[in-house]
Amino acid sequence: MPSHRRKFLKRAAVTGSLVGLAGCQGDGGDATPAETQTPEPGVEYEEVDAVSWLTLSREDNPGYYEEAQQAMGMLEEIGFQFDESVYESGQWVNTLFAKDYDIANIGWSNTVERLFPYYNLYFSFHSQYAGPDGGNFSNFVSDEYDQAVENFASEMDEDARQELAYRCQEILARNVPTAFTTHPSSLIAHNTEEFSGWDPMVGEWAYFNPTTLKSATRQAGDGTVVFATTAPPEQYPNFMSHTGPAAVFLHKLNYDPLVQMSTTGRPIAEGAAESWEVVDDTTIDVTLRSGMTWHDGEPVTPEDVKFTWDYATEHGIPYLASDIEPYESSEVTGENSIRFTLSNPFAGFIPVSMYRVPIIPQHVWEGVTAENDLDHPGQWENPDMTGSGPFRMVNYEPGNRIVFEKHADHYAAGEYDFDSIVYNIYGTNSTAVGDVINGNATFTQGLGYTDWQRAQNSDTAEAIENPSIQANGLFFNVNNEPFNDVLVRQAMAYALNRTEIAQTVHQGYAQPAKSPVAPANEGYHNPDVAAYEFSLQQARSLLEESGFRYEGDTLMKPVDWEPTTEYVSVSD
Amino acid sequence: MNQKLKFVLQRFALMLISLFAVITILFLLFRLMPGNPASQLVSPRFSEAERQALLAQHGLTEPLHVQYVVYLQNVAQGNLGISFQHGSPVVPFLLNKTLNTLSITVPALLLAFTFGPFIGANFAWNRNESIDAYGTGAVLIAFAAPIFWTGMLSIMVFSFWLGWLPAAGMHSATYTETSLVDRFFSVGFLRHAILPIAIFALWRLSQPTLIMRNNMIDLIGSDFIKLKRAEGLDERTIMYRHGARNALLPLVHYMALAFGFAFGGSIILETVFSWPGVGQAMWNAVRASDYPVAQGAFTIISVAIILLNFLVDVLSVYIDPRVADSGVET
C-alpha cells in the first residue's frame, strides 16, 4: 500500500538524518518527555481523528512533497495521525481554494517584487481572503491583523511601513495560522568563459532581468546571451493575456517599465521614468525620460503611459489585477510628465505596480479589439510586439526558444555588452547545466542540488546559492478542530525540526523559517519573532494544556474538547 | 459483392467509427481531468471572479454539451482551436512540430527497418551460434534499456566528454530559419539530429530484427530452401534472395504501424534531447492544461495511426487475398 511505503521511506530518511545529526542535536530532542500526564479521571476521551493533509505531487514540486513527508513524520512523534492527499497541480489548486483540508503545505514564489511583502502578508492572511476561493489558506481572521496589514499596505513612509510589517509578523508568529518550515535557496549557475562580472538579483530570477544583464561584461564569444531553462513561459507573447512570472520577465526585455529594480529589490530610476515624486498618499508625479522611441521609431509619450494604464484597467489582465487595481486615473501634465491618482493609498505602487506594468504603444493597441473583432485584446493571435524596451522580440518558437535583439535606440543600449539574448527551452535540467558548462548556454536557474554541484565542480562555470525570499510552511485550516486552538498550532510548530527539514529535503541549501518574510528581505524581515525552536517536550505540554492526554503513545482528546485559546493579541 | 471491396468498405466504416470514438474520448478526457487553465495560475491573488473571467476567455464556462458540439463542428472543419499558451492556431503549430518529429523518427525507422531485417536474417541463418546468442541479447538490451537512460548516456559521452555533438535542440541557439529546406538540410541540423536518430533507431531495431529472425527460422526448414540447397546455390544467395524475400512480408504490417506511431514521436526522446517536436509540445500542453494543443496532438496522432492501420488492411488484402475471406471479425 502506498501509505505504508511512504511511512517506510519517511522513517528511513528521518532515522538516517538523526544519525547524521546526532552530534549536533540541541536540547529538547528527546522523544520521551518526563512528565506526561495520564488521562484525568471523570473525563471521557477519544482518539484524535486523522488530520487531512493536502500536498502537491512529487512530480509537480519535489520540495513541497518531501517537506510534507518529513513534517508528517515529525508530527506523528507527538501523536498525530495523517490522511494525506497527494494531488497533481490541477486538482491541488481546486482543493486548496476550496479549503478542503486540515493542513496544506505550500510556499510563496521567489520573484523580486515580493521583497515588498504585500502578497506574503496581505493576500495570505487578510480576513477578506478567508473562506472559499480566497488566498488566505489558513482562513485566519483577526481584526487586529487586518488593521495592521491594511496600514502596512497604505503607509507611504518606509520606516513606519517597516514597523507595521514587523507587527504583522509578530501577530502571525504568536497565533501561528501557518507554521513556517524553510526558506529554500535558489540554486543557479552561469558560464564563466564568455561573460563575467554578474551582479545577481535576489531570488530565483538572478540573471534574467534587465539590471543584472547590464552588469555582465563580455570576455569572448559571439555576443549572444543564452538563458537555458526548462520552463516554457506561461501565456506568451500577448502582453494583455500573460499569466506568470516567466512571461513577466520576458516582457521586461521587450517593454520598458516605469521603474526598474536594483539587484537588492529597490525601485531604481533606470526604467522609462527619469524620476518620480510621491505628492501625497494617493498622488504620484512621474517624469519620463526624453527622447525615447518605440521599436518602430515612433516617440514614446506620456499619452502612451496613460493609455497603458487605462487600457489595462478597462480590459483587465488577471495576473496583474492587484497591481492595476489601486490605479484610479492619470493625467498628462506636461511634455514628459504624468500624474497618477490612486483610488486608495498603496505603498506598493512604485516598487510593484510600476515595475510590473510596463508601457505599451497606444498606436499599436488602440484599435486591436475592434479591428480583429475580439472580446479582449488578450485574444489577439499574432500580436505586434513593438515595445520600447532594451530588446525586441524577433522570433518565438513555442516550446523551443524566444530570441531578442538589442534595440539600438534604447537609452541603456550601450550598457548591455551583447547583441542578442535567447530564452532557450531545454527538456531537462541536466542538459541545461551541461550546456552552461560547455559554453553553449550562458546561465540557468532553478536547479536541483545534483545539477548545481556539477556546475560547481567544473572549471568553466560558477554555481551560486542565491539568497531566497521564498517561504514554505504548513497552513493550518483554523476553521477545523483542533486547529482553532492557538496552543495546538503552537505545539505543532514546536514539533517541527526545521534544521532537519533543511538538511534532508534541501541538502542544507535552505534556512529554517519563522516568518513569511525571509531574512534575505532585510527591509521587512522581523528578526525578533518567536522561532518555536524544536522541542517535543514543549509541544506535548502545550497539547496537554489544551486538554489533550496521552495513553501510551496515543493522543487522546476529551469528547467535549473546546479550544482554550482562540487568539493571542500583540497588544496584551 | 466483390469480397475484397466489401472487406475494404467494412474496414472503412470501422475506421470512421474509431475516429469518432477517439475524438469524443479525447474531448471528455481533457474536461474530466482535474484542473483547468486557471489552475496553472497558482496565485493567491486570483479572486474567483478573475478565475471565471479567464475561463470565459477560453470558452470554458459554456455547458459541456455546447462545448462538445462546437468542438465537433470545428474538428470537422479541421480547426482544432487556439492554444491557450501562445494564442496561435493549433493545426499549423502542431503540423510544424510534427515535421520536426518526423525529421528524427522517419530516418530512425528507415535505419531500423533497413538494417533490422538484414541483421535478423543473419541471426537466423547462424542460429544458436555466438553471433545469434549475443546479437539477440544485445538487440533485446537496446530495446529494454529506457530511452532516457541511453539518451542521457549518449549526451554525456558525445556531448559533454568528447564534445563532438550538441546536447540539446534542433539548431544552435542563434540559428535563424530562412526556409523549410534550410531547417532540415543543413550541417547544423544534422549535427543535432545524429544522437536522437541513433538512439531512437537503436531502440526500434529490435522489432524488425526479431520478427525477421523468427520468420527466417520458420523458413529455414521448408522444402524450397532444401531444394535451393540441392541446386547447389551458395548460402548467401539462398539467404537473401529466397529466404529473406519470403520472410519479409509480415514486416510490412509492422512497418506501417511503426510509421503511424512515428507521428507521435516519443515524449521521452524529445525531452531528453530538448527536441522541439510534437511529443514535447504535447507534454508541455498537458502540464499547462492547454487543452486545444494537447487534444490536437492526440487527435493528429490517433488519426495517423488509424489511417495507417486502414491502409495496411487495404494493402494486405491485395498482397494476400486470403485476408478478405477471414472477414472483419478477426
Side-chain angles (χ1 to χ4, degrees):
Chain A
M1 265 165 67
S3 65
H4 287 171
R5 190 175 149 267
R6 171 176 74 71
K7 274 185 188 146
F8 170 73
L9 289 174
K10 189 170 58 197
R11 295 239 161 85
V14 171
T15 317
S17 59
L18 277 177
V19 171
L21 288 168
C24 52
Q25 194 66 263
D27 60 342
D30 48 334
T32 44
E35 35 188 329
T36 303
Q37 296 177 37
T38 45
E40 319 255 327
V43 181
E44 199 184 333
Y45 288 91
E46 62 185 6
E47 218 173 300
V48 173
D49 289 338
V51 171
S52 74
W53 187 301
L54 173 69
T55 192
L56 193 53
S57 73
R58 181 199 286 270
E59 290 69 32
D60 282 315
N61 194 319
Y64 291 176
Y65 178 81
E66 295 294 347
E67 282 203 1
Q69 309 318 311
Q70 289 282 299
M72 267 182 268
M74 290 168 181
L75 296 173
E76 278 169 10
E77 294 294 315
I78 54 168
F80 285 97
Q81 309 274 330
F82 296 96
D83 176 11
E84 187 189 16
S85 302
V86 183
Y87 291 144
E88 303 293 319
S89 59
Q91 198 175 357
W92 179 76
V93 171
N94 293 346
T95 316
L96 193 65
F97 277 92
K99 314 275 165 77
D100 194 8
Y101 50 80
D102 294 323
I103 299 180
N105 71 303
I106 56 172
W108 286 276
S109 70
N110 204 0
T111 48
V112 66
E113 70 273 9
R114 303 236 165 150
L115 281 178
F116 176 71
Y118 186 50
Y119 311 113
N120 304 24
L121 294 178
Y122 197 93
F123 284 98
S124 306
F125 298 105
H126 192 288
S127 61
Q128 176 188 349
Y129 302 102
D133 302 323
N136 179 341
F137 298 121
S138 302
N139 284 323
F140 179 62
V141 175
S142 149
D143 290 339
E144 187 183 30
Y145 187 81
D146 288 355
Q147 191 77 56
V149 79
E150 280 166 22
N151 291 344
F152 157 77
S154 58
E155 178 56 62
M156 301 303 264
D157 178 69
E158 269 192 45
D159 292 336
R161 194 160 67 226
Q162 186 193 49
E163 276 308 307
L164 287 159
Y166 275 26
R167 185 180 166 85
C168 290
Q169 291 168 68
E170 182 68 42
I171 298 174
L172 293 178
R174 290 202 189 184
N175 287 282
V176 203
T178 302
F180 296 97
T181 50
T182 56
H183 303 294
S185 301
S186 305
L187 300 182
I188 287 159
H190 73 97
N191 177 281
T192 49
E193 293 190 315
E194 293 193 359
F195 292 91
S196 65
W198 296 99
D199 178 13
M201 185 176 271
V202 71
E204 180 73 42
W205 295 81
Y207 298 112
F208 194 72
N209 66 81
T211 312
T212 300
L213 287 169
K214 278 183 201 169
S215 68
T217 313
R218 186 163 148 192
Q219 306 294 326
D222 58 358
T224 303
V225 164
V226 178
F227 172 25
T229 176
T230 51
E234 312 79 11
Q235 297 193 31
Y236 188 81
N238 188 321
F239 174 74
M240 291 300 290
S241 68
H242 77 286
T243 54
V248 167
F249 279 94
L250 285 162
H251 284 308
K252 267 184 213 323
L253 299 180
N254 196 73
Y255 299 106
D256 240 349
L258 287 169
V259 305
Q260 287 288 6
M261 203 70 103
S262 76
T263 51
T264 53
R266 301 244 143 218
I268 47 174
E270 292 186 11
E274 199 173 64
S275 64
W276 56 85
E277 194 195 339
V278 178
V279 180
D280 60 48
D281 277 1
T282 54
T283 314
I284 297 165
D285 278 346
V286 171
T287 308
L288 287 188
R289 225 168 272 281
S290 57
M292 284 188 295
T293 55
W294 297 105
H295 296 149
D296 61 7
E298 296 284 319
V300 177
T301 64
E303 279 81 6
D304 286 311
V305 180
K306 180 176 166 49
F307 167 79
T308 304
W309 283 87
D310 289 342
Y311 196 64
T313 304
E314 182 192 341
H315 295 287
I317 306 170
Y319 191 68
L320 301 182
S322 64
D323 306 294
I324 299 164
E325 191 259 332
Y327 170 83
E328 185 170 273
S329 64
S330 56
E331 183 193 344
V332 176
T333 49
E335 202 184 326
N336 272 320
S337 53
I338 181 164
R339 166 168 288 190
F340 284 95
T341 305
L342 309 186
S343 52
N344 50 306
F346 177 48
F349 198 77
I350 294 164
V352 184
S353 304
M354 277 164 59
Y355 171 67
R356 280 160 58 102
V357 182
I359 320 172
I360 60 171
Q362 181 170 11
H363 65 278
V364 169
W365 287 88
E366 202 166 25
V368 163
T369 43
E371 282 159 25
N372 299 284
D373 191 25
L374 306 173
D375 300 328
H376 188 279
Q379 296 165 337
W380 192 10
E381 264 177 37
N382 204 354
D384 180 336
M385 291 297 285
T386 300
S388 65
F391 295 88
R392 190 168 51 94
M393 193 199 91
V394 290
N395 184 19
Y396 177 35
E397 296 166 34
N400 191 12
R401 66 209 157 115
I402 309 169
V403 183
F404 296 85
E405 271 172 16
K406 188 144 83 177
H407 171 37
D409 290 335
H410 189 265
Y411 52 87
E415 295 176 54
Y416 295 96
D417 208 0
F418 55 92
D419 306 313
S420 55
I421 178 162
V422 183
Y423 186 94
N424 211 12
I425 300 162
Y426 283 72
T428 62
N429 266 334
S430 73
T431 340
V433 167
D435 263 5
V436 166
I437 292 170
N438 70 20
N440 285 330
T442 315
F443 54 81
T444 181
Q445 66 183 34
L447 298 178
Y449 169 75
T450 320
D451 290 321
W452 184 80
Q453 279 255 304
R454 265 176 68 208
Q456 203 183 34
N457 294 338
S458 90
D459 300 332
T460 52
E462 191 183 327
I464 62 165
E465 183 190 356
N466 213 29
S468 164
I469 51 173
Q470 183 174 335
N472 292 350
L474 320 181
F475 285 70
F476 302 114
N477 189 343
V478 305
N479 288 354
N480 294 2
E481 257 184 33
F483 304 101
N484 48 356
D485 191 344
V486 175
L487 297 187
V488 175
R489 306 201 296 261
Q490 287 180 340
M492 285 195 152
Y494 274 118
L496 295 173
N497 186 343
R498 295 167 182 78
T499 316
E500 193 180 303
I501 295 178
Q503 285 296 336
T504 52
V505 179
H506 305 283
Q507 281 87 20
Y509 293 90
Q511 280 178 287
K514 57 181 182 180
S515 154
V517 181
N521 189 351
E522 286 167 17
Y524 293 106
H525 172 73
N526 183 345
D528 299 323
V529 300
Y532 298 98
E533 298 288 354
F534 174 55
S535 164
L536 291 177
Q537 218 163 336
Q538 277 279 18
R540 288 179 187 232
S541 65
L542 278 166
L543 285 177
E544 284 166 3
E545 203 183 321
S546 172
F548 291 79
R549 291 292 178 269
Y550 287 95
E551 214 172 70
D553 281 338
T554 314
L555 186 62
M556 308 294 286
K557 178 177 102 168
V559 176
D560 56 355
W561 181 86
E562 291 286 335
T564 46
T565 317
E566 291 189 52
Y567 185 73
V568 185
S569 169
V570 290
S571 40
D572 297 342
Chain B
M1 199 199 276
N2 180 330
Q3 195 70 24
K4 279 183 194 169
L5 190 66
K6 190 176 161 205
F7 174 79
V8 169
L9 286 177
Q10 273 175 325
R11 287 283 154 168
F12 186 73
L14 260 185
M15 178 188 77
L16 290 183
I17 294 169
S18 312
L19 279 177
F20 178 75
V22 160
I23 285 168
T24 305
I25 290 170
L26 282 177
F27 172 84
L28 289 173
L29 206 64
F30 281 96
R31 271 143 189 93
L32 294 180
M33 228 164 64
N36 57 45
S39 301
Q40 60 164 312
L41 319 166
V42 185
S43 164
R45 296 172 302 131
F46 273 83
S47 69
E48 181 59 15
E50 281 156 5
R51 296 208 296 158
Q52 285 302 324
L54 212 75
L55 291 177
Q57 250 183 46
H58 296 316
L60 294 169
T61 43
E62 300 279 348
L64 210 60
H65 64 273
V66 177
Q67 288 186 41
Y68 179 61
V69 172
V70 172
Y71 166 75
L72 282 187
Q73 279 170 348
N74 285 338
V75 170
Q77 293 164 10
N79 173 5
L80 294 175
I82 307 280
S83 158
F84 295 161
Q85 269 178 301
H86 39 84
S88 48
V90 168
V91 174
F93 167 73
L94 281 177
L95 288 181
N96 195 18
K97 294 280 184 192
T98 305
L99 278 184
N100 295 348
T101 292
L102 291 177
S103 74
I104 47 172
T105 52
V106 170
L109 285 173
L110 285 177
L111 284 175
F113 279 86
T114 308
F115 289 103
F118 171 79
I119 298 169
N122 273 285
F123 285 173
W125 217 255
N126 301 296
R127 196 181 174 196
N128 296 336
E129 288 172 31
S130 54
I131 179 176
D132 177 40
Y134 291 114
T136 309
V139 169
L140 280 174
I141 287 172
F143 176 68
I147 236 175
F148 69 83
W149 181 69
T150 49
M152 286 298 206
L153 218 58
S154 71
I155 288 176
M156 196 174 78
V157 174
F158 294 103
S159 305
F160 298 148
W161 288 0
L162 299 171
W164 290 350
L165 294 166
M170 202 164 81
H171 293 104
S172 64
T174 46
Y175 169 82
T176 338
E177 184 171 318
T178 49
S179 69
L180 210 56
V181 176
D182 175 63
R183 188 198 300 178
F184 296 118
F185 297 93
S186 61
V187 179
F189 169 80
L190 203 66
R191 278 170 47 80
H192 282 82
I194 286 177
L195 281 184
I197 289 177
I199 294 298
F200 198 58
L202 207 62
W203 184 64
R204 293 310 303 245
L205 193 62
S206 68
Q207 202 181 40
T209 306
L210 295 182
I211 290 170
M212 188 66 181
R213 177 179 175 273
N214 293 347
N215 291 342
M216 277 294 261
I217 287 172
D218 288 346
L219 272 177
I220 286 171
S222 54
D223 292 344
F224 77 95
I225 298 285
K226 285 184 191 149
L227 182 70
K228 291 294 162 192
R229 284 221 172 94
E231 279 175 12
L233 289 177
D234 69 277
E235 285 290 302
R236 277 195 166 280
T237 315
I238 301 172
M239 174 162 85
Y240 292 124
R241 271 190 66 185
H242 301 284
R245 271 175 73 178
N246 278 291
L248 213 52
L249 212 63
L251 263 181
V252 173
H253 185 78
Y254 287 102
M255 194 161 153
L257 279 185
F259 276 92
F261 281 103
F263 280 84
S266 156
I267 291 178
I268 297 169
L269 183 79
E270 289 179 9
T271 303
V272 168
F273 290 98
S274 312
W275 196 264
V278 75
Q280 212 195 41
M282 193 156 71
W283 171 235
N284 286 335
V286 169
R287 284 203 305 176
S289 295
D290 190 349
Y291 300 156
V293 171
Q295 213 167 257
F298 282 116
T299 308
I300 289 181
I301 294 165
S302 320
V303 168
I305 291 170
I306 292 173
L307 271 180
L308 277 158
N309 249 323
F310 171 70
L311 287 180
V312 169
D313 285 342
V314 173
L315 209 66
S316 51
V317 82
Y318 284 94
I319 292 175
D320 186 351
R322 284 171 302 178
V323 173
D325 297 332
S326 53
V328 188
E329 304 83 50
T330 50

